[in-house]
Amino acid sequence: MMSAAEPRQLAEPPAFRRDRRVHAWIGVKALSDAGDALWTIALAWTAVQTASPAIAGLIVAAGTVPRAIVLLFGGVIADRSDARRVMMLFTVLRVGVLVAVALWVLATPPTVGVLLFAAIAFGICDAFYEPSAGTVARQLVRTSDLPSYGALAQTASRLGTMAGAAIGGVLVAYAGLVGSAAVNAFTFSLVLAFIALWLRPRFVLARAPRESALHGIARGFAHLGTHPTTRTLVIALSGLNLAVGPAVGIGLALRAHDEGWGAQAVGLFEALLGLGAALGAVSVVTWRPRREAFAGFWALVVQGAGIIALGWGPAWTVAIAAFVIGVTAGYASVLLSATFSATVDTAYLGRMGSITRLGDDCLMPLAMAGFGLLASTTAVWVPFALFGGTMMALMALPLSTAAFRRLTLAPGA
């Protein structure tokens, strides 16, 4: 069950633990994630200072819609173009956006129009950049090293995002939007330099044929219809956050409010979830199951039970449930993402990655609204039980499929 078109090897990768090029790329990407988190906080804070709460919310969310619209086109480009060139181009554009915003704000106070421009431009750049960046792992490491790569990359990314968020509030308070934009532009410049000078593929992926973008998108959805393993993975990864996102994003605050635990309890729960996710991801490096997909789907069953547990009990049981959800989220995400990269036909890897990202962009707002509506019209525990139980039930399909029970990424298996 490996990909239909195996990548052609250009150079022999070293053992993963000694792969300095890959380790450096993961570190540079984590630094960029820190810059992004810092910029997001600066944009949100500036929006709140500049406009009404409703307009500020529109500014922060402005990049989501154009990103969702453009993502599928980004996937088509990723499947037929050189990933390095696409990533370099849109990194240059993002640096240009940051510099333009900084220069504008230096000359005149920030306006709603400038902030909207920044949010929308970043969303569009992300839509083209991320599908190509999603194919990099397949071009750098062996199939058997994909789980280790994913574990280290996700852990570094989480740590970078946490550090960037922590620094962002301080930086925007003292240096404003200009300082935040300058720091993020610097991190993107490091990414650009690394891609241009050191990021060299070791495996050549199969390329999609040249055709119109709409035909390429249609061909991607047709590929889902004829490849059940890919279809199951895409559905699973698309819905990975749809159950846990509302439970954590809205549910924890509702429970803390109803029980009188205070905002500090929400912060503690979120911190435990983040810590658990980091530990769950990094655990794959030292304790890796032989049947990665099977273990990943079982972790999501446990996660569903954890979501249900958030709706009942005192604060200490909710804290334990949040930690368990974090561990299973980090663990399952690494294993299923590695399985996805290894099994999807590499000529469709960008498009399949784009489709999985549409889950958060298009369906997450509906999931959030549905969770809140249920909580306001029924008991608070009901949406937790429904969302968690649905996740557990949906995992029955892949866990009952013989292909996923046998699938392993281990060499020679």
Short mmCIF file of all heavy atoms in Angstrom, two decimals, residues 156-226:
data_model
loop_
_atom_site.label_atom_id
_atom_site.label_comp_id
_atom_site.label_asym_id
_atom_site.label_seq_id
_atom_site.Cartn_x
_atom_site.Cartn_y
_atom_site.Cartn_z
N ALA A 156 8.62 20.67 17.27
CA ALA A 156 9.32 21.95 17.09
C ALA A 156 8.36 23.06 16.71
O ALA A 156 8.46 24.20 17.19
CB ALA A 156 10.41 21.80 16.02
N SER A 157 7.38 22.74 15.86
CA SER A 157 6.41 23.75 15.44
C SER A 157 5.56 24.22 16.62
O SER A 157 5.30 25.42 16.77
CB SER A 157 5.51 23.17 14.34
OG SER A 157 4.52 24.10 13.95
N ARG A 158 5.12 23.28 17.45
CA ARG A 158 4.31 23.66 18.61
C ARG A 158 5.12 24.54 19.57
O ARG A 158 4.62 25.54 20.09
CB ARG A 158 3.83 22.40 19.35
CG ARG A 158 2.79 21.60 18.59
CD ARG A 158 2.38 20.37 19.37
NE ARG A 158 1.56 19.46 18.58
CZ ARG A 158 0.26 19.57 18.40
NH1 ARG A 158 -0.39 20.57 18.98
NH2 ARG A 158 -0.41 18.68 17.68
N LEU A 159 6.37 24.15 19.81
CA LEU A 159 7.21 24.94 20.71
C LEU A 159 7.46 26.34 20.13
O LEU A 159 7.44 27.33 20.85
CB LEU A 159 8.52 24.21 20.97
CG LEU A 159 8.41 22.91 21.77
CD1 LEU A 159 9.78 22.23 21.85
CD2 LEU A 159 7.88 23.17 23.17
N GLY A 160 7.70 26.39 18.80
CA GLY A 160 7.91 27.68 18.16
C GLY A 160 6.69 28.56 18.25
O GLY A 160 6.79 29.76 18.55
N THR A 161 5.51 27.97 18.02
CA THR A 161 4.27 28.75 18.10
C THR A 161 4.03 29.25 19.52
O THR A 161 3.62 30.41 19.72
CB THR A 161 3.09 27.88 17.64
OG1 THR A 161 3.32 27.47 16.28
CG2 THR A 161 1.79 28.65 17.72
N MET A 162 4.28 28.40 20.51
CA MET A 162 4.09 28.81 21.90
C MET A 162 5.04 29.95 22.27
O MET A 162 4.65 30.93 22.91
CB MET A 162 4.31 27.61 22.83
CG MET A 162 3.21 26.55 22.74
SD MET A 162 3.65 25.01 23.57
CE MET A 162 3.93 25.57 25.25
N ALA A 163 6.30 29.82 21.84
CA ALA A 163 7.28 30.87 22.15
C ALA A 163 6.92 32.17 21.44
O ALA A 163 7.00 33.26 22.02
CB ALA A 163 8.68 30.41 21.75
N GLY A 164 6.51 32.08 20.18
CA GLY A 164 6.13 33.27 19.43
C GLY A 164 4.93 33.97 20.05
O GLY A 164 4.90 35.21 20.12
N ALA A 165 3.95 33.18 20.50
CA ALA A 165 2.78 33.78 21.14
C ALA A 165 3.15 34.48 22.44
O ALA A 165 2.64 35.56 22.75
CB ALA A 165 1.73 32.70 21.40
N ALA A 166 4.06 33.84 23.19
CA ALA A 166 4.46 34.44 24.47
C ALA A 166 5.21 35.75 24.26
O ALA A 166 5.02 36.73 25.01
CB ALA A 166 5.35 33.45 25.24
N ILE A 167 6.06 35.79 23.23
CA ILE A 167 6.85 36.99 22.95
C ILE A 167 6.00 38.06 22.25
O ILE A 167 6.23 39.27 22.42
CB ILE A 167 8.07 36.63 22.08
CG1 ILE A 167 9.00 35.69 22.85
CG2 ILE A 167 8.83 37.87 21.66
CD1 ILE A 167 10.10 35.09 21.99
N GLY A 168 5.00 37.61 21.48
CA GLY A 168 4.24 38.54 20.64
C GLY A 168 3.56 39.65 21.40
O GLY A 168 3.58 40.81 20.98
N GLY A 169 2.93 39.29 22.53
CA GLY A 169 2.24 40.31 23.29
C GLY A 169 3.18 41.38 23.82
O GLY A 169 2.85 42.57 23.82
N VAL A 170 4.36 40.96 24.27
CA VAL A 170 5.34 41.92 24.79
C VAL A 170 5.87 42.80 23.67
O VAL A 170 5.98 44.02 23.80
CB VAL A 170 6.50 41.18 25.49
CG1 VAL A 170 7.56 42.16 25.96
CG2 VAL A 170 5.98 40.35 26.66
N LEU A 171 6.17 42.16 22.52
CA LEU A 171 6.77 42.91 21.41
C LEU A 171 5.82 43.96 20.85
O LEU A 171 6.22 45.10 20.59
CB LEU A 171 7.20 41.94 20.31
CG LEU A 171 7.92 42.58 19.12
CD1 LEU A 171 9.23 43.21 19.57
CD2 LEU A 171 8.18 41.54 18.03
N VAL A 172 4.54 43.58 20.65
CA VAL A 172 3.61 44.55 20.08
C VAL A 172 3.35 45.70 21.05
O VAL A 172 3.09 46.84 20.63
CB VAL A 172 2.29 43.85 19.67
CG1 VAL A 172 1.46 43.46 20.90
CG2 VAL A 172 1.46 44.75 18.76
N ALA A 173 3.47 45.42 22.35
CA ALA A 173 3.27 46.48 23.33
C ALA A 173 4.40 47.51 23.28
O ALA A 173 4.17 48.71 23.47
CB ALA A 173 3.18 45.89 24.74
N TYR A 174 5.62 47.05 22.99
CA TYR A 174 6.77 47.96 23.01
C TYR A 174 7.19 48.43 21.61
O TYR A 174 7.69 49.54 21.46
CB TYR A 174 7.96 47.27 23.69
CG TYR A 174 7.82 47.18 25.18
CD1 TYR A 174 7.31 46.04 25.78
CD2 TYR A 174 8.16 48.25 26.00
CE1 TYR A 174 7.17 45.95 27.16
CE2 TYR A 174 8.02 48.18 27.38
CZ TYR A 174 7.52 47.02 27.95
OH TYR A 174 7.37 46.94 29.32
N ALA A 175 7.01 47.58 20.60
CA ALA A 175 7.47 47.94 19.26
C ALA A 175 6.34 48.12 18.26
O ALA A 175 6.59 48.50 17.12
CB ALA A 175 8.45 46.88 18.75
N GLY A 176 5.11 47.81 18.67
CA GLY A 176 3.97 48.01 17.79
C GLY A 176 3.95 47.06 16.61
O GLY A 176 4.72 46.09 16.53
N LEU A 177 3.07 47.36 15.67
CA LEU A 177 2.92 46.52 14.48
C LEU A 177 4.18 46.53 13.64
O LEU A 177 4.54 45.51 13.02
CB LEU A 177 1.73 47.01 13.66
CG LEU A 177 1.29 46.11 12.50
CD1 LEU A 177 0.74 44.79 13.04
CD2 LEU A 177 0.22 46.81 11.66
N VAL A 178 4.88 47.64 13.61
CA VAL A 178 6.10 47.75 12.80
C VAL A 178 7.16 46.76 13.29
O VAL A 178 7.76 46.01 12.51
CB VAL A 178 6.66 49.19 12.83
CG1 VAL A 178 8.01 49.25 12.13
CG2 VAL A 178 5.68 50.14 12.18
N GLY A 179 7.39 46.74 14.59
CA GLY A 179 8.39 45.82 15.14
C GLY A 179 8.02 44.38 14.92
O GLY A 179 8.86 43.54 14.59
N SER A 180 6.74 44.06 15.09
CA SER A 180 6.28 42.68 14.88
C SER A 180 6.43 42.27 13.42
O SER A 180 6.86 41.15 13.11
CB SER A 180 4.81 42.55 15.32
OG SER A 180 4.67 42.89 16.67
N ALA A 181 6.09 43.18 12.50
CA ALA A 181 6.25 42.88 11.08
C ALA A 181 7.71 42.68 10.73
O ALA A 181 8.07 41.79 9.95
CB ALA A 181 5.66 44.01 10.25
N ALA A 182 8.60 43.48 11.32
CA ALA A 182 10.03 43.36 11.03
C ALA A 182 10.57 42.02 11.50
O ALA A 182 11.36 41.36 10.79
CB ALA A 182 10.79 44.50 11.70
N VAL A 183 10.16 41.58 12.68
CA VAL A 183 10.64 40.30 13.21
C VAL A 183 10.15 39.15 12.34
O VAL A 183 10.91 38.23 12.00
CB VAL A 183 10.19 40.11 14.67
CG1 VAL A 183 10.50 38.69 15.15
CG2 VAL A 183 10.89 41.12 15.57
N ASN A 184 8.86 39.18 11.95
CA ASN A 184 8.35 38.10 11.11
C ASN A 184 9.00 38.11 9.73
O ASN A 184 9.27 37.06 9.14
CB ASN A 184 6.83 38.20 10.98
CG ASN A 184 6.20 36.89 10.55
OD1 ASN A 184 6.77 35.82 10.72
ND2 ASN A 184 5.01 36.98 10.00
N ALA A 185 9.26 39.29 9.19
CA ALA A 185 9.96 39.38 7.90
C ALA A 185 11.36 38.77 8.01
O ALA A 185 11.84 38.11 7.07
CB ALA A 185 10.05 40.84 7.45
N PHE A 186 12.01 38.98 9.15
CA PHE A 186 13.34 38.39 9.37
C PHE A 186 13.27 36.86 9.38
O PHE A 186 14.10 36.18 8.78
CB PHE A 186 13.93 38.91 10.68
CG PHE A 186 15.24 38.27 11.05
CD1 PHE A 186 16.40 38.55 10.34
CD2 PHE A 186 15.31 37.37 12.11
CE1 PHE A 186 17.60 37.94 10.67
CE2 PHE A 186 16.49 36.77 12.45
CZ PHE A 186 17.65 37.05 11.73
N THR A 187 12.26 36.31 10.08
CA THR A 187 12.15 34.84 10.12
C THR A 187 11.86 34.28 8.72
O THR A 187 12.40 33.24 8.34
CB THR A 187 11.04 34.40 11.10
OG1 THR A 187 9.76 34.87 10.65
CG2 THR A 187 11.32 34.92 12.50
N PHE A 188 11.03 34.96 7.95
CA PHE A 188 10.77 34.51 6.58
C PHE A 188 12.03 34.63 5.71
O PHE A 188 12.24 33.80 4.81
CB PHE A 188 9.63 35.30 5.95
CG PHE A 188 8.26 34.79 6.32
CD1 PHE A 188 7.30 35.64 6.82
CD2 PHE A 188 7.94 33.46 6.15
CE1 PHE A 188 6.04 35.19 7.16
CE2 PHE A 188 6.67 32.98 6.48
CZ PHE A 188 5.73 33.85 7.00
N SER A 189 12.84 35.62 5.96
CA SER A 189 14.08 35.77 5.20
C SER A 189 15.02 34.61 5.48
O SER A 189 15.71 34.12 4.57
CB SER A 189 14.76 37.10 5.56
OG SER A 189 13.94 38.19 5.19
N LEU A 190 15.05 34.14 6.73
CA LEU A 190 15.86 32.96 7.05
C LEU A 190 15.33 31.73 6.33
O LEU A 190 16.12 30.91 5.83
CB LEU A 190 15.86 32.73 8.56
CG LEU A 190 16.61 33.75 9.42
CD1 LEU A 190 16.47 33.39 10.90
CD2 LEU A 190 18.08 33.81 9.03
N VAL A 191 14.01 31.58 6.29
CA VAL A 191 13.41 30.46 5.56
C VAL A 191 13.79 30.53 4.09
O VAL A 191 14.19 29.52 3.47
CB VAL A 191 11.88 30.47 5.72
CG1 VAL A 191 11.23 29.43 4.80
CG2 VAL A 191 11.50 30.21 7.16
N LEU A 192 13.69 31.71 3.50
CA LEU A 192 14.02 31.90 2.09
C LEU A 192 15.48 31.53 1.82
O LEU A 192 15.78 30.82 0.84
CB LEU A 192 13.75 33.34 1.68
CG LEU A 192 14.09 33.73 0.25
CD1 LEU A 192 13.24 32.94 -0.73
CD2 LEU A 192 13.88 35.23 0.04
N ALA A 193 16.39 32.00 2.67
CA ALA A 193 17.81 31.70 2.48
C ALA A 193 18.06 30.20 2.58
O ALA A 193 18.83 29.63 1.80
CB ALA A 193 18.64 32.46 3.52
N PHE A 194 17.43 29.55 3.54
CA PHE A 194 17.65 28.11 3.71
C PHE A 194 17.13 27.34 2.50
O PHE A 194 17.81 26.43 1.99
CB PHE A 194 16.96 27.62 4.99
CG PHE A 194 17.32 26.20 5.34
CD1 PHE A 194 18.39 25.93 6.17
CD2 PHE A 194 16.60 25.14 4.82
CE1 PHE A 194 18.74 24.63 6.48
CE2 PHE A 194 16.93 23.83 5.12
CZ PHE A 194 18.01 23.58 5.96
N ILE A 195 15.92 27.68 2.04
CA ILE A 195 15.37 26.97 0.87
C ILE A 195 16.27 27.17 -0.34
O ILE A 195 16.56 26.22 -1.09
CB ILE A 195 13.94 27.48 0.57
CG1 ILE A 195 13.00 27.11 1.71
CG2 ILE A 195 13.44 26.87 -0.74
CD1 ILE A 195 11.62 27.72 1.57
N ALA A 196 16.74 28.39 -0.55
CA ALA A 196 17.54 28.71 -1.74
C ALA A 196 18.92 28.05 -1.69
O ALA A 196 19.42 27.58 -2.71
CB ALA A 196 17.69 30.22 -1.87
N LEU A 197 19.53 27.99 -0.51
CA LEU A 197 20.93 27.57 -0.42
C LEU A 197 21.11 26.12 0.01
O LEU A 197 22.07 25.46 -0.44
CB LEU A 197 21.68 28.48 0.56
CG LEU A 197 21.73 29.97 0.18
CD1 LEU A 197 22.42 30.76 1.28
CD2 LEU A 197 22.45 30.16 -1.15
N TRP A 198 20.25 25.61 0.87
CA TRP A 198 20.53 24.30 1.47
C TRP A 198 19.45 23.24 1.27
O TRP A 198 19.74 22.06 1.37
CB TRP A 198 20.78 24.45 2.97
CG TRP A 198 22.04 25.18 3.27
CD1 TRP A 198 23.31 24.75 3.08
CD2 TRP A 198 22.15 26.51 3.80
NE1 TRP A 198 24.21 25.71 3.45
CE2 TRP A 198 23.53 26.81 3.92
CE3 TRP A 198 21.23 27.47 4.22
CZ2 TRP A 198 24.00 28.03 4.40
CZ3 TRP A 198 21.69 28.68 4.71
CH2 TRP A 198 23.05 28.94 4.80
N LEU A 199 18.21 23.64 1.03
CA LEU A 199 17.15 22.65 0.92
C LEU A 199 17.18 22.02 -0.48
O LEU A 199 16.70 22.59 -1.45
CB LEU A 199 15.78 23.29 1.17
CG LEU A 199 14.62 22.31 1.34
CD1 LEU A 199 14.79 21.47 2.59
CD2 LEU A 199 13.30 23.06 1.39
N ARG A 200 17.77 20.84 -0.56
CA ARG A 200 17.87 20.12 -1.83
C ARG A 200 17.16 18.79 -1.72
O ARG A 200 17.40 18.02 -0.78
CB ARG A 200 19.34 19.89 -2.20
CG ARG A 200 20.10 21.16 -2.53
CD ARG A 200 19.59 21.78 -3.83
NE ARG A 200 20.33 22.98 -4.20
CZ ARG A 200 20.01 24.21 -3.81
NH1 ARG A 200 18.95 24.39 -3.03
NH2 ARG A 200 20.73 25.24 -4.18
N PRO A 201 16.26 18.48 -2.67
CA PRO A 201 15.51 17.21 -2.58
C PRO A 201 16.42 16.01 -2.80
O PRO A 201 17.39 16.06 -3.57
CB PRO A 201 14.49 17.34 -3.71
CG PRO A 201 15.09 18.31 -4.67
CD PRO A 201 15.88 19.28 -3.84
N ARG A 202 16.12 14.94 -2.11
CA ARG A 202 16.82 13.66 -2.28
C ARG A 202 15.99 12.66 -3.05
O ARG A 202 16.49 11.62 -3.47
CB ARG A 202 17.18 13.09 -0.92
CG ARG A 202 18.23 13.90 -0.18
CD ARG A 202 18.13 13.65 1.30
NE ARG A 202 19.20 14.31 2.03
CZ ARG A 202 19.16 14.51 3.34
NH1 ARG A 202 18.12 14.09 4.05
NH2 ARG A 202 20.16 15.11 3.96
N PHE A 203 14.70 12.97 -3.20
CA PHE A 203 13.79 12.10 -3.94
C PHE A 203 12.98 12.96 -4.90
O PHE A 203 12.54 14.06 -4.54
CB PHE A 203 12.84 11.36 -3.00
CG PHE A 203 13.51 10.45 -2.02
CD1 PHE A 203 13.91 10.92 -0.78
CD2 PHE A 203 13.75 9.12 -2.35
CE1 PHE A 203 14.53 10.09 0.13
CE2 PHE A 203 14.37 8.29 -1.44
CZ PHE A 203 14.78 8.77 -0.20
N VAL A 204 12.79 12.49 -6.11
CA VAL A 204 11.99 13.18 -7.12
C VAL A 204 10.60 12.58 -7.13
O VAL A 204 10.44 11.37 -7.30
CB VAL A 204 12.63 13.07 -8.51
CG1 VAL A 204 11.73 13.73 -9.57
CG2 VAL A 204 14.01 13.71 -8.53
N LEU A 205 9.59 13.41 -6.95
CA LEU A 205 8.22 12.93 -6.93
C LEU A 205 7.64 12.91 -8.34
O LEU A 205 8.02 13.70 -9.20
CB LEU A 205 7.36 13.84 -6.05
CG LEU A 205 7.84 14.08 -4.61
CD1 LEU A 205 6.80 14.91 -3.86
CD2 LEU A 205 8.11 12.78 -3.90
N ALA A 206 6.70 12.01 -8.56
CA ALA A 206 5.97 11.99 -9.83
C ALA A 206 5.20 13.30 -9.99
O ALA A 206 4.68 13.85 -9.01
CB ALA A 206 5.01 10.81 -9.87
N ARG A 207 5.14 13.83 -11.19
CA ARG A 207 4.47 15.10 -11.45
C ARG A 207 3.17 14.88 -12.20
O ARG A 207 3.04 13.96 -13.02
CB ARG A 207 5.36 16.03 -12.27
CG ARG A 207 6.68 16.41 -11.59
CD ARG A 207 6.48 17.36 -10.42
NE ARG A 207 6.00 16.65 -9.21
CZ ARG A 207 5.54 17.27 -8.14
NH1 ARG A 207 5.41 18.57 -8.12
NH2 ARG A 207 5.14 16.56 -7.10
N ALA A 208 2.20 15.71 -11.90
CA ALA A 208 0.91 15.65 -12.59
C ALA A 208 1.05 16.25 -13.98
O ALA A 208 1.90 17.11 -14.22
CB ALA A 208 -0.14 16.42 -11.78
N PRO A 209 0.21 15.81 -14.91
CA PRO A 209 0.28 16.37 -16.27
C PRO A 209 -0.16 17.83 -16.31
O PRO A 209 -0.93 18.28 -15.46
CB PRO A 209 -0.69 15.49 -17.06
CG PRO A 209 -1.65 14.97 -16.04
CD PRO A 209 -0.83 14.79 -14.79
N ARG A 210 0.32 18.57 -17.29
CA ARG A 210 -0.09 19.97 -17.49
C ARG A 210 -1.50 19.99 -18.06
O ARG A 210 -1.78 19.39 -19.10
CB ARG A 210 0.87 20.66 -18.45
CG ARG A 210 2.27 20.84 -17.89
CD ARG A 210 2.33 22.04 -16.98
NE ARG A 210 3.65 22.19 -16.37
CZ ARG A 210 3.98 23.18 -15.57
NH1 ARG A 210 3.09 24.11 -15.28
NH2 ARG A 210 5.18 23.25 -15.03
N GLU A 211 -2.40 20.65 -17.36
CA GLU A 211 -3.78 20.81 -17.79
C GLU A 211 -4.35 22.01 -17.06
O GLU A 211 -3.68 22.61 -16.22
CB GLU A 211 -4.60 19.55 -17.48
CG GLU A 211 -4.59 19.16 -16.01
CD GLU A 211 -5.28 17.83 -15.75
OE1 GLU A 211 -6.00 17.35 -16.65
OE2 GLU A 211 -5.09 17.27 -14.67
N SER A 212 -5.57 22.37 -17.40
CA SER A 212 -6.16 23.53 -16.73
C SER A 212 -6.30 23.26 -15.24
O SER A 212 -6.43 22.10 -14.81
CB SER A 212 -7.52 23.86 -17.33
OG SER A 212 -8.48 22.91 -16.94
N ALA A 213 -6.28 24.32 -14.46
CA ALA A 213 -6.37 24.16 -13.00
C ALA A 213 -7.68 23.48 -12.60
O ALA A 213 -7.68 22.62 -11.71
CB ALA A 213 -6.26 25.53 -12.33
N LEU A 214 -8.77 23.84 -13.26
CA LEU A 214 -10.06 23.23 -12.92
C LEU A 214 -10.07 21.74 -13.22
O LEU A 214 -10.62 20.94 -12.45
CB LEU A 214 -11.20 23.94 -13.66
CG LEU A 214 -11.48 25.38 -13.22
CD1 LEU A 214 -12.60 25.99 -14.06
CD2 LEU A 214 -11.85 25.43 -11.74
N HIS A 215 -9.47 21.35 -14.35
CA HIS A 215 -9.37 19.92 -14.66
C HIS A 215 -8.49 19.21 -13.63
O HIS A 215 -8.76 18.07 -13.25
CB HIS A 215 -8.79 19.72 -16.07
CG HIS A 215 -9.79 19.93 -17.16
ND1 HIS A 215 -9.47 20.49 -18.38
CD2 HIS A 215 -11.12 19.67 -17.21
CE1 HIS A 215 -10.55 20.55 -19.14
NE2 HIS A 215 -11.57 20.07 -18.46
N GLY A 216 -7.43 19.88 -13.20
CA GLY A 216 -6.56 19.29 -12.19
C GLY A 216 -7.29 19.08 -10.87
O GLY A 216 -7.12 18.05 -10.21
N ILE A 217 -8.12 20.05 -10.47
CA ILE A 217 -8.91 19.91 -9.24
C ILE A 217 -9.90 18.76 -9.39
O ILE A 217 -10.06 17.93 -8.48
CB ILE A 217 -9.63 21.23 -8.93
CG1 ILE A 217 -8.61 22.31 -8.54
CG2 ILE A 217 -10.64 21.03 -7.80
CD1 ILE A 217 -9.20 23.70 -8.42
N ALA A 218 -10.59 18.72 -10.53
CA ALA A 218 -11.56 17.65 -10.77
C ALA A 218 -10.88 16.29 -10.75
O ALA A 218 -11.42 15.31 -10.21
CB ALA A 218 -12.28 17.88 -12.11
N ARG A 219 -9.69 16.20 -11.33
CA ARG A 219 -8.95 14.94 -11.35
C ARG A 219 -8.58 14.52 -9.91
O ARG A 219 -8.55 13.34 -9.58
CB ARG A 219 -7.70 15.06 -12.21
CG ARG A 219 -7.08 13.72 -12.58
CD ARG A 219 -5.80 13.93 -13.38
NE ARG A 219 -6.05 14.58 -14.66
CZ ARG A 219 -6.40 13.93 -15.77
NH1 ARG A 219 -6.56 12.62 -15.73
NH2 ARG A 219 -6.58 14.59 -16.89
N GLY A 220 -8.30 15.51 -9.06
CA GLY A 220 -7.98 15.20 -7.67
C GLY A 220 -9.16 14.57 -6.95
O GLY A 220 -9.00 13.57 -6.24
N PHE A 221 -10.35 15.14 -7.11
CA PHE A 221 -11.52 14.56 -6.47
C PHE A 221 -11.87 13.19 -7.07
O PHE A 221 -12.33 12.29 -6.36
CB PHE A 221 -12.71 15.51 -6.58
CG PHE A 221 -12.67 16.64 -5.61
CD1 PHE A 221 -12.29 17.92 -6.01
CD2 PHE A 221 -12.97 16.44 -4.27
CE1 PHE A 221 -12.23 18.97 -5.10
CE2 PHE A 221 -12.91 17.48 -3.35
CZ PHE A 221 -12.54 18.75 -3.76
N ALA A 222 -11.64 13.03 -8.38
CA ALA A 222 -11.86 11.72 -8.99
C ALA A 222 -10.90 10.68 -8.42
O ALA A 222 -11.25 9.50 -8.24
CB ALA A 222 -11.68 11.82 -10.51
N HIS A 223 -9.68 11.11 -8.11
CA HIS A 223 -8.69 10.21 -7.50
C HIS A 223 -9.20 9.69 -6.15
O HIS A 223 -9.01 8.51 -5.81
CB HIS A 223 -7.37 10.97 -7.31
CG HIS A 223 -6.27 10.14 -6.76
ND1 HIS A 223 -5.55 9.25 -7.54
CD2 HIS A 223 -5.73 10.06 -5.50
CE1 HIS A 223 -4.62 8.66 -6.80
NE2 HIS A 223 -4.71 9.13 -5.56
N LEU A 224 -9.86 10.55 -5.39
CA LEU A 224 -10.45 10.10 -4.12
C LEU A 224 -11.49 9.01 -4.34
O LEU A 224 -11.58 8.06 -3.56
CB LEU A 224 -11.11 11.29 -3.41
CG LEU A 224 -10.22 12.28 -2.68
CD1 LEU A 224 -11.07 13.41 -2.10
CD2 LEU A 224 -9.45 11.60 -1.56
N GLY A 225 -12.25 9.13 -5.42
CA GLY A 225 -13.30 8.17 -5.68
C GLY A 225 -12.79 6.79 -6.04
O GLY A 225 -13.47 5.79 -5.80
N THR A 226 -11.58 6.72 -6.59
CA THR A 226 -11.05 5.43 -7.04
C THR A 226 -9.98 4.85 -6.12
O THR A 226 -9.49 3.75 -6.39
CB THR A 226 -10.45 5.59 -8.45
OG1 THR A 226 -9.45 6.61 -8.44
CG2 THR A 226 -11.54 5.96 -9.46
#
